[in-house]
Each structure stands twice: as C-alpha cells, then as structure tokens.
Amino acid sequence: MDRRSFLKATLAGSAFALAPRLSLAKSGDGVFELEAAKGQARLYGDQGALSDLWLYNGQVPGPEIRVKQGERVKVRFTNKLDEATSVHWHGIRIDNAMDGVAGLTQPPVEPGQTFDYDFIAPDAGTFWYHAHNMSWNQVPRGLSGPLIVEEDEHFFAPETDIILALNDWRLDEDGALETANFGAMMDFSHAGRLGNWLTINGQSMPDIPLQNGRWHRLRLINTSASRILDIAPSRFGAKLIGLDAQCFGEARDVDGTIQLSPAQRIDLVMRPEQTGTIPFETMTGQPFVFANFQVTEASNPDAPLKIPSPNQLPEPDLKSARTLPLVMEGGAMGGMRSLMKDGKALDMRQMMETGVFWAFNGVAGMEDTPMFSAKGGETIVLETRNDTAFAHAMHIHGHHFRVFERNGEKLKHPDWRDTFTTVPRETVKIAFVADNPGKWLIHCHMLGHAASGMMTWFEVS
Ligand code: C2O
Ligand code: CU
C-alpha cells in the first residue's frame, strides 16, 4: 500500500474537510484539564475505518494549550489508559521536576492517577507536548498536542495564526492504524516506525483556509515517530521566521528545502497574493501534496508584518567551553559489533535478542551515572558524529543549543534548536549553556531508536 494510491482514492471520493480550529483545554479556574484515554478517529478520510488510538481529551492531535510568555502553566493531567504514562513539554526550558520524564524526573503516572504540572514558560514560540513513557508506543498511537506560547504583543489575529501538526501514520488496508507491528525490531534497527499516510491536525488532505493579502503565521510541528519531512517554503510563497520555537527576528527566504524532523518545528510567514488553491507538499523524493491552502477574500484588512523578536537565551561562550564527544553508532548496516548495556558487553547476537541496537559513545541506553555533569552556567560543546547508516533527530531536554558547525564548516546561521538532524557520516557541533539544574535527557527523537539504545542523560548542578 503506498501513499499515492491512498491519495488518489481520497481525491476521487470525498469533499475536503476544513482544517479545524483546535480547541483549547482551559477550564474556568485557569487550569488546563488534560486526560489520556483510549479513543477512536478516522485517519484516512471519511471512507477509512476507525482507528483505535490513545488520545488527549479524545482528539487528534490533543487540544491546543495556549499561554502567554512568562505565564504560569497549570495542567491537571489524568491517566485513563491501561498503562503508566507522563507528559513532556517539548522544548520548554522548564523546571526539571515538571519535565515529565517518567522514571527520571517523576514517577510514572499510573492508570487512574492524576499529576499536576505547574511551570513557567519562559520563551515564546511553537512547542508541543507528548507522552514520555514507552514513547515509541504511546506517541504514534496519538498522544501529542500543540503548546503555543504567545509573545507579549499579539502579532497575528487568530484566523491568521495557524497550527499545522503533521503526523505520519502506518495504516492497514482499511485505513485504520496498524497495531500488530508496534515495537518491531525491524523498525527499531532501521529508520524507526515509518508510516504510509500523513495527516495535518488529524485530518487527511485538509483544506487550510488562508485570506488573500493578509500575513499569516504558519506553525509546523512534526509529531511523527520517525518520519523526516522536507518542506520547501518558497514553493508556496512562505518565508522562515523561526525554528524549534526560537524566532530569528527576521524573515528569511529559503533556497530549496528545510528538514522537519520528528519533534522539530518550523515557523513561517506567508501572504497570499491571490485567491485560489496552493498545494502544500513534502519534498522527500518527489513533491507529494498532503494538503491545500485555500485562499479566500480577506475578512479583515491586512496589518503590516510584525515579526516576533528573539527570546533571550544564554549565549554559549565557546572560548571557555568544555567539549565532549557524542558518537552515534549501531543500527542495521552500521557495522557495530558490540556495545555496552548496563555495564555488560553485548555482541551482535545478544543485541538482536534483547532489542538493543544503538549506542552513544559505545553505551546503549540509560545508566545510573550521567554521561556528564555540568556546573550551572558552564558552556558545553557536543561534538557529534553520526557513524550509523541512518539519519537521527537529536533532542536535548531543558535547554536550547546553537548548531554552529557541520562537517568542519561554521554555519552562516548558527540557529537555536532543541532538536537537530544529523545524516550518516556527518559531524555536527552544538553549544549550550548548561544553566538549568536537574537531570536532563539527550536522545534521538526517532522514538524506536531512543527505545533501543539512543538515550542518555546529563546532570546540571
Ligand atoms: Cu520530545 Cu524526550 O522528548
Ligand atoms: Cu535515531
């Protein structure tokens, strides 16, 4: 089954649905109520079968949580699933106790239990939240949602501030979520669980309403477990203003494509010049349309473009930095013969038997001691090398970092990120100020890779 035949069927069959305005989870007392439970939705248009999913507040994606920069965010979370879970606020420079990593920063939230999350969102931008216990299983069943932190000043009217939560699903012939192969070793040891169908805000081939002659902000969030999407903003007339929640303070033209890896966000601005349809494509392989912008006459006059200014992040001091290696190894065709797991050497056969395929610096998975400890305020440079045959989306919790060098070349734009992509044989250098006390994860956001070895942690005192 390929996406193209799915798409043809959809085009022939049904009228397009409008991309929904995502609903807010906020209750009267300013506390967001968030509940994880089993639910169902049609992922493959109207003719597709119902999928059995795990959802926040019964929706795909979970409800939009929208707060102001510097605001205290309170979320009363209830777990109505059959297994333990937790909620991680991806990209927020958060108080460690609220980071939502089951087993590291909090006990897992058991079935029937609640947990009160309570934190400050220091940076404005486009974030998301997702399950962080058995993530390889819980996230691709539907447990994720958008988290928007607004700038003090309101730059875009609600109808021009558009969230596009992109998700890659593996569907069976009926168009329902395929569940038999969750956790397949074949996926873990290769590119992760890749899907065959893309949705935007939970919908197949939606129309995304835009208004002619008005500036829009598009917030793209890749909530996929493993799928890298390649986006070419210039093909639909958009410019780049930020990555992973951090705005540059300018609008950039992009030549070619930008990779939108699992967990990454891209913020764009766009002002359509005429009414009509503009296809929204991914560019991996050949252009593949998975939604259409439908531009109609404007309901309100345009306001001049105002671009949010950058958040104030602590600037790394490269001169005093401590440089640490982070070598990614393992996986199929990676040539790794053994790795360390829980203090024991595993050979290839044992790796296969235990489902451990990947390592950082020769060590798979979480150990009792951190990969490194940093003094509060210390600049850390990670010199990463991808010695595997696959791309990875490396995420650091609790901090943003500058990606400043690739393959020995200083980058023109050493942008802030919380997740960076690295392709085979690449070296990437990143720098950050370890200023947030606590225990923080470093892992691949291809969730099967994280589950089978690509996960470690560091500590900031
Ligand atoms: Cu969005 Cu540890 O992850
Ligand atoms: Cu990976």
Side-chain angles (χ1 to χ4, degrees):
M1 172 180 43
D2 71 359
R3 286 189 283 154
R4 222 155 272 280
S5 43
F6 257 131
L7 178 68
K8 279 204 199 99
T10 308
L11 285 173
S14 67
F16 298 148
L18 280 187
R21 183 88 194 123
L22 301 165
S23 74
L24 294 168
K26 204 163 198 161
S27 65
D29 55 357
V31 177
F32 293 95
E33 302 277 355
L34 198 65
E35 181 182 287
K38 290 186 176 174
Q40 289 187 314
R42 281 183 217 283
L43 298 171
Y44 173 53
D46 291 342
Q47 304 113 11
L50 276 171
S51 294
D52 289 317
L53 302 171
W54 299 0
L55 300 174
Y56 291 121
N57 295 8
Q59 327 170 192
V60 201
E64 172 185 340
I65 295 180
R66 182 177 280 262
V67 296
K68 286 241 177 295
Q69 182 173 14
E71 194 182 321
R72 191 158 158 202
V73 187
K74 294 187 193 177
V75 179
R76 189 172 303 126
F77 172 67
T78 306
N79 180 10
K80 296 227 169 121
L81 299 168
D82 298 335
E83 67 178 52
T85 187
S86 64
V87 187
H88 170 58
W89 315 95
H90 184 111
I92 302 276
R93 296 188 298 134
I94 202 167
D95 175 10
N96 190 245
M98 294 293 133
D99 198 38
V101 180
L104 187 72
T105 65
Q106 67 168 90
V109 185
E110 298 295 337
Q113 285 186 353
T114 65
F115 188 92
D116 286 323
Y117 290 98
D118 184 346
F119 58 89
I120 305 283
D123 302 321
T126 304
F127 299 87
W128 65 302
Y129 59 92
H130 61 80
H132 215 301
N133 189 46
M134 312 272 281
S135 310
W136 58 272
N137 186 45
Q138 297 190 354
V139 176
R141 286 179 193 266
L143 290 174
S144 69
L147 169 57
I148 305 301
V149 183
E150 288 179 350
E151 295 78 14
D152 283 347
E153 220 182 317
H154 214 335
F155 292 104
F156 293 84
E159 67 275 19
T160 60
D161 185 340
I162 294 170
I163 298 172
L164 301 174
L166 315 177
N167 208 345
D168 168 52
W169 307 87
R170 189 182 291 178
L171 304 183
D172 64 20
E173 297 94 49
D174 300 328
L177 184 71
E178 186 282 333
T179 55
N181 285 307
F182 268 104
M185 296 296 143
M186 186 67 183
D187 289 336
F188 281 14
S189 59
H190 289 72
R193 180 182 163 95
L194 292 172
N196 49 18
W197 188 238
L198 293 166
T199 61
I200 298 184
N201 300 340
Q203 307 222 332
S204 284
M205 274 297 286
D207 279 353
I208 303 162
L210 300 182
Q211 299 194 3
N212 190 25
R214 291 185 77 186
W215 282 107
H216 298 74
R217 178 177 186 167
L218 306 179
R219 304 171 183 267
L220 279 55
I221 309 172
N222 187 350
T223 66
S224 307
S226 318
R227 174 76 65 190
I228 298 174
L229 299 165
D230 294 289
I231 304 292
S234 59
R235 282 174 68 99
F236 49 94
K239 292 173 195 283
L240 181 66
I241 61 164
L243 295 166
D244 292 359
Q246 305 301 342
C247 283
F248 321 131
E250 61 178 15
R252 286 187 207 152
D253 289 311
V254 178
D255 274 347
T257 61
I258 332 175
Q259 278 177 323
L260 180 59
S261 289
Q264 291 186 323
R265 286 88 67 214
I266 292 177
D267 272 77
L268 304 171
V269 290
M270 170 177 183
R271 182 166 62 177
E273 303 291 345
Q274 61 187 65
T275 58
T277 302
I278 305 172
F280 183 39
E281 306 150 307
T282 70
M283 305 297 290
T284 316
Q286 36 181 318
F288 174 72
V289 179
F290 63 125
N292 284 295
F293 297 109
Q294 296 295 357
V295 185
T296 56
E297 288 306 340
S299 62
N300 279 301
D302 188 32
L305 175 62
K306 280 207 214 142
I307 298 172
S309 39
N311 293 306
Q312 293 305 306
L313 300 178
E315 195 57 54
D317 174 17
L318 291 183
K319 285 194 211 73
S320 70
R322 179 149 58 109
T323 300
L324 299 164
L326 183 73
V327 182
M328 296 157 230
E329 295 167 290
M333 303 167 287
M336 185 154 88
R337 297 219 166 73
S338 75
L339 50 69
M340 294 299 289
K341 170 78 181 147
D342 302 326
K344 286 195 282 288
L346 303 186
D347 63 21
M348 284 275 272
R349 190 180 50 83
Q350 291 164 317
M351 287 160 63
M352 295 301 290
E353 282 169 6
T354 49
V356 175
F357 303 109
W358 306 91
F360 291 143
N361 301 334
V363 177
M366 303 282 282
E367 302 209 299
D368 293 340
T369 51
M371 185 189 131
F372 62 92
S373 297
K375 290 189 297 298
E378 187 181 9
T379 295
I380 299 291
V381 168
L382 289 182
E383 202 174 284
T384 74
R385 197 170 77 231
N386 182 350
D387 273 353
T388 77
F390 294 88
H392 302 288
M394 298 293 298
H395 173 45
I396 297 185
H397 280 222
H399 300 75
H400 271 74
F401 48 82
R402 282 198 189 278
V403 179
F404 67 95
E405 199 181 299
R406 273 185 199 267
N407 298 323
E409 256 179 63
K410 292 265 182 285
L411 297 182
K412 177 164 162 232
H413 295 297
D415 293 321
W416 292 108
R417 305 228 58 152
D418 58 46
T419 307
F420 72 94
T421 313
T422 172
V423 299
R425 287 173 295 285
E426 199 175 34
T427 58
V428 180
K429 284 195 199 175
I430 66 168
F432 65 102
V433 179
D435 64 345
N436 196 350
K439 298 175 175 180
W440 304 105
L441 290 182
I442 302 179
H443 65 89
C444 181
H445 223 289
M446 280 126 181
L447 300 170
H449 292 174
S452 57
M454 289 198 124
M455 167 114 78
T456 187
W457 64 287
F458 67 104
E459 186 155 33
V460 180
S461 58

